[in-house]
Amino acid sequence: MTTSSETVCPPGTVITGKWQKNQYIVERLLGRGANGSVYLVYRRGHPDRYALKVGYDTLELQSEVNILRALNRQLPSSYFIEADDYKSVSGEAAFYVMRYVEGVQLHQFIRARGREWLGLVGLKLLERLSSLHSLGYIFGDLKPENVMVSPYGSVELIDYGGVSAPGRSVKQFTEWYDRGYWNAGSRTGDEAYDLFSFAVMCIQLLDEESLRGASAQLPQIRSVQDLEAVLRKSSQLKPYAAWLGRALGGGFANSREALNAWKKGVYARAVPRKRNKTPRWLQRSFFLSIVFAGAALYLFLKT
Amino acid sequence: MKQILLITDGCSNIGPSPVMAAAHALQEGITVNVIGVLDYGTIGELGELEIREIAKAGGGLHQIVGTSQLARTMQMMTRKTVVQTIQQAVNKEIRQILGGGSLTELPPEKRAQVVEVVDELSETSPLQVALVIDASASMKPKLAAVEEAIRDLMLSLKARAGTSRLSVYHFPGRGHGEDLVKDVDWTENLDGVRGLFGRLQMKGATPTGPALLKVIDEYRCGTLEHNQSWRELPGQEEGMLGDYVV
Ligand SMILES: Nc1ncnc2c1ncn2[C@@H]1O[C@H](COP(=O)(O)OP(=O)(O)O)[C@@H](O)[C@H]1O
Ligand SMILES: [Mg+2]
């Protein structure tokens, strides 16, 4: 296999494409994964920044590029920019350039901003998944590390290395989020597979402790019932429990239905309702203003 | 495609060399992967060397892992080897069609097409994996994990679009000179199978080489009617790339 397992590009490295001859300058490392290292780069003479992934394996990377190309043809805003090869001192490596997605990974976002954001962020993620499904793809390796969230909760999927067509085997998966790991169904890609991963992810984001407990089961008796038990017990999961239970059990016909159910149930409940009563802070400030007015009147009359 | 996946935790000590056996397997078109499992201590320099040499001779991959990573490692190795096998065959054709050149030398458009073919064939070609488990005394505490990992592998194989079969063997056997025991014959499903390993007699002997040779034999005789590899698929004798590229 054509591998160049470790191509390290320190800041300032100029990556010149062998075929298209475009030049990218490395600003910093964004992250490393199982398939490659991703750098923040800019093009010489252009202000725009991009994310550039240097693959560990030419074939795997090309396989990802093929998916991204196909998606690009169908999407209005393009994510994929170009693919090329880079010759460095340590050998030759394939790379591709994509849109730089600003933000933080989903779990970091929820940790920093609070669990009450899950309603909105979950909704946006389900929208993403559902549009990917409607194009005829299953995401596969859905996990918090592969979901980027911007400061205002807009959501973007990254890492299309696990994407496959429905009916084909899921290309990449990660234990916790894998339906097979929980003995809850096959590893053949379908919309329910992504919804299952989505549900486990929600459990993790709301109550990681309990998820860890459930996964500590012996593998031969580990089952989706362990997750359902967590749904019943955990108070943090309560508002989401019905929806999550359905996703874990493969109860949604497709992701569109799952999205609608999320909107109707979970999301509606998670969004703070308008209160009929005057909020306390307003009452308080009203009271204070009366006091001030009285004091002012008193002072006025005294003089 | 035919694979042997050997799971062991140490050195062989009886009979012909397992490295030679693996070389025979490769000759027969069977790729040999090796996983060394251990939870404590080390496998030892000799053990590691043997594991590496068997995989090299068998054209496969090798890795030493703890039981907790066993399932994942088996799945990834099997998958990688499938892709590699397809890629090697496709590379040969690339050379014929384009007159030399590996994947990185191919211009982007051609490369995209070739990889599409490799992906497609990796998913759809029939696959057989024979699991060969070292059940010598030191492996005893790990066998539960091995069994789980085998079931997990079956789950991944079942998800493929192409027919996938798995068989399970362990060594050494019960009686004198019994080098190999067949636990599960070629199957596409392990759901009904309780307890992969029957009565085991844990002995110190580790006849890895003889066991491998027996499995090659099994491949040769036992599975002829199922033994269709992608090369023998109808319509593909002309070359796999023919329809797609050029
Ligand atoms: N388009 C992007 N914009 C910003 N950061 C990215 C982008 N793509 C990847 N990253 C970062 O790089 C990390 C690894 O990339 P990823 O594609 O997930 O690699 P792998 O497929 O090897 O897991 C991600 O977790 C993320 O932090
Ligand atoms: Mg990733």
Side-chain angles (χ1 to χ4, degrees):
Chain A
M1 227 176 262
T2 34
T3 5
S4 71
S5 48
E6 256 335 284
T7 312
V8 186
C9 306
T13 305
V14 180
I15 296 177
T16 307
K18 175 169 125 185
W19 307 94
Q20 266 98 239
K21 309 281 182 229
N22 285 325
Q23 289 195 324
Y24 296 93
I25 298 151
V26 173
E27 209 167 296
R28 66 184 165 89
L29 180 73
L30 285 171
R32 275 178 207 283
N35 298 337
S37 306
V38 180
Y39 297 94
L40 178 63
V41 300
Y42 58 93
R43 259 180 82 172
R44 181 157 279 175
H46 294 259
D48 299 335
R49 278 136 131 212
Y50 302 96
L52 184 152
K53 185 169 186 171
V54 182
Y56 302 140
D57 181 285
T58 306
L59 191 130
E60 300 266 355
L61 198 84
Q62 183 62 50
S63 177
E64 217 170 300
V65 166
N66 285 356
I67 300 273
L68 288 171
R69 278 233 166 85
L71 282 175
N72 248 21
R73 282 194 287 272
Q74 291 168 289
L75 291 175
S77 68
S78 54
Y79 178 71
F80 174 81
I81 314 284
E82 67 163 344
D84 213 321
D85 295 331
Y86 162 53
K87 219 176 219 144
S88 73
V89 277
S90 57
E92 201 164 22
F95 71 85
Y96 71 81
V97 185
M98 64 198 129
R99 180 149 45 83
Y100 170 48
V101 179
E102 278 179 90
V104 295
Q105 294 172 337
L106 178 57
H107 54 295
Q108 297 168 334
F109 181 88
I110 296 290
R111 206 178 298 146
R113 306 289 291 275
R115 295 192 181 110
E116 67 269 21
W117 279 85
L118 186 64
L120 175 70
V121 170
L123 174 72
K124 290 184 176 260
L125 180 52
L126 283 171
E127 281 174 352
R128 290 276 168 191
L129 284 175
S130 162
S131 72
L132 187 69
H133 293 166
S134 70
L135 295 175
Y137 294 100
I138 304 302
F139 189 73
D141 200 7
L142 186 62
K143 54 179 172 182
E145 293 89 331
N146 287 341
V147 180
M148 297 290 272
V149 189
S150 83
Y152 301 109
S154 86
V155 170
E156 197 100 43
L157 287 165
I158 56 168
D159 189 1
Y160 289 78
V163 172
S164 63
R168 294 297 172 96
S169 56
V170 170
K171 261 196 188 161
Q172 273 175 35
F173 54 87
T174 305
E175 276 189 356
W176 272 5
Y177 317 97
D178 165 41
R179 187 164 67 182
Y181 175 81
W182 294 99
N183 292 311
S186 76
R187 286 196 182 121
T188 304
D190 51 28
E191 299 192 12
Y193 188 92
D194 281 345
L195 292 173
F196 186 94
S197 307
F198 178 92
V200 177
M201 213 167 67
C202 291
I203 297 177
Q204 181 194 3
L205 294 169
L206 294 169
D207 187 356
E208 179 156 354
E209 204 61 36
S210 299
L211 179 63
R212 187 161 292 138
S215 83
Q217 282 285 359
L218 285 175
Q220 57 270 35
I221 52 170
R222 187 191 300 126
S223 86
V224 70
Q225 276 140 27
D226 300 321
L227 292 176
E228 283 157 0
V230 169
L231 289 184
R232 279 194 301 276
K233 276 182 217 143
S234 165
S235 58
Q236 285 104 298
L237 289 167
K238 198 151 210 168
Y240 300 88
W243 191 98
L244 294 175
R246 209 166 147 198
L248 292 174
F252 291 113
N254 51 49
S255 54
R256 184 117 308 261
E257 188 183 303
L259 170 63
N260 289 334
W262 183 276
K263 262 189 209 156
K264 260 193 226 126
V266 179
Y267 183 56
R269 239 172 293 131
V271 172
R273 298 258 169 80
K274 262 189 250 151
R275 298 205 200 184
N276 295 327
K277 283 192 291 181
T278 317
R280 188 155 295 166
W281 63 268
L282 205 60
Q283 285 175 3
R284 219 176 274 154
S285 57
F286 179 69
F287 175 72
L288 271 179
S289 60
I290 296 275
V291 172
F292 278 126
L297 191 66
Y298 171 76
L299 287 174
F300 176 72
L301 292 175
K302 241 181 93 177
T303 49
Chain B
M1 285 174 288
K2 298 175 229 166
Q3 298 183 10
I4 288 174
L5 178 49
L6 170 67
I7 297 174
T8 180
D9 69 348
C11 287
S12 62
N13 53 17
I14 307 179
S17 147
V19 179
M20 182 207 62
H24 271 291
L26 187 62
Q27 174 62 29
E28 298 285 315
I30 308 165
T31 311
V32 184
N33 289 324
V34 192
I35 298 179
V37 257
L38 91 169
D39 287 326
Y40 323 96
T42 62
I43 244 164
E45 235 168 83
L46 268 181
E48 246 176 79
L49 182 70
E50 187 178 286
I51 284 169
R52 193 167 56 236
E53 295 278 281
I54 295 172
K56 279 226 175 100
L61 306 164
H62 65 93
Q63 206 168 330
I64 293 170
V65 298
T67 47
S68 62
Q69 289 143 281
L70 188 58
R72 188 172 179 75
T73 309
M74 280 166 61
Q75 185 263 338
M76 297 212 321
M77 253 188 195
T78 305
R79 183 175 188 104
K80 263 206 174 132
T81 305
V82 165
V83 174
Q84 229 164 37
T85 308
I86 300 283
Q87 197 194 350
Q88 277 160 6
V90 169
N91 269 349
K92 263 187 214 149
E93 294 196 24
I94 295 174
R95 255 171 251 132
Q96 282 167 9
I97 297 167
L98 302 167
S102 69
L103 208 53
T104 23
E105 289 160 56
L106 284 181
E109 263 318 295
K110 283 262 150 47
R111 192 187 305 176
Q113 288 174 317
V114 167
V115 171
E116 206 166 293
V117 178
V118 171
D119 274 347
E120 176 67 20
L121 291 173
S122 300
E123 173 74 18
T124 55
S125 304
L127 167 68
Q128 285 178 286
V129 185
L131 287 137
V132 183
I133 314 300
D134 171 354
S136 58
S138 58
M139 278 291 288
K140 188 169 186 175
K142 297 161 202 153
L143 285 179
V146 171
E147 173 162 353
E148 256 336 290
I150 292 174
R151 290 183 186 277
D152 192 85
L153 181 65
M154 186 80 257
L155 193 67
S156 287
L157 293 184
K158 267 204 275 187
R160 296 179 73 245
T163 329
S164 312
R165 287 192 175 80
L166 184 151
S167 62
V168 185
Y169 302 87
H170 77 262
F171 63 91
R174 273 150 284 183
H176 291 286
E178 195 187 10
D179 296 320
L180 186 76
V181 178
K182 185 194 284 180
D183 298 298
V184 182
D185 205 352
W186 291 115
T187 180
E188 293 176 40
N189 199 339
L190 283 175
D191 285 350
V193 185
R194 306 215 161 273
L196 293 190
F197 308 111
R199 285 160 294 144
L200 291 178
Q201 194 169 39
M202 299 294 190
K203 293 189 297 189
T206 311
T208 313
L212 286 177
L213 288 172
K214 283 256 166 64
V215 176
I216 298 167
D217 248 4
E218 289 270 319
Y219 255 120
R220 223 183 264 137
C221 342
T223 59
L224 276 178
E225 74 270 39
H226 301 310
N227 211 355
Q228 192 189 32
S229 79
W230 57 265
R231 276 219 160 278
E232 295 139 17
L233 282 180
Q236 285 182 344
E237 299 88 0
E238 312 286 290
M240 295 169 288
L241 286 172
D243 302 338
Y244 300 87
V245 190
V246 185

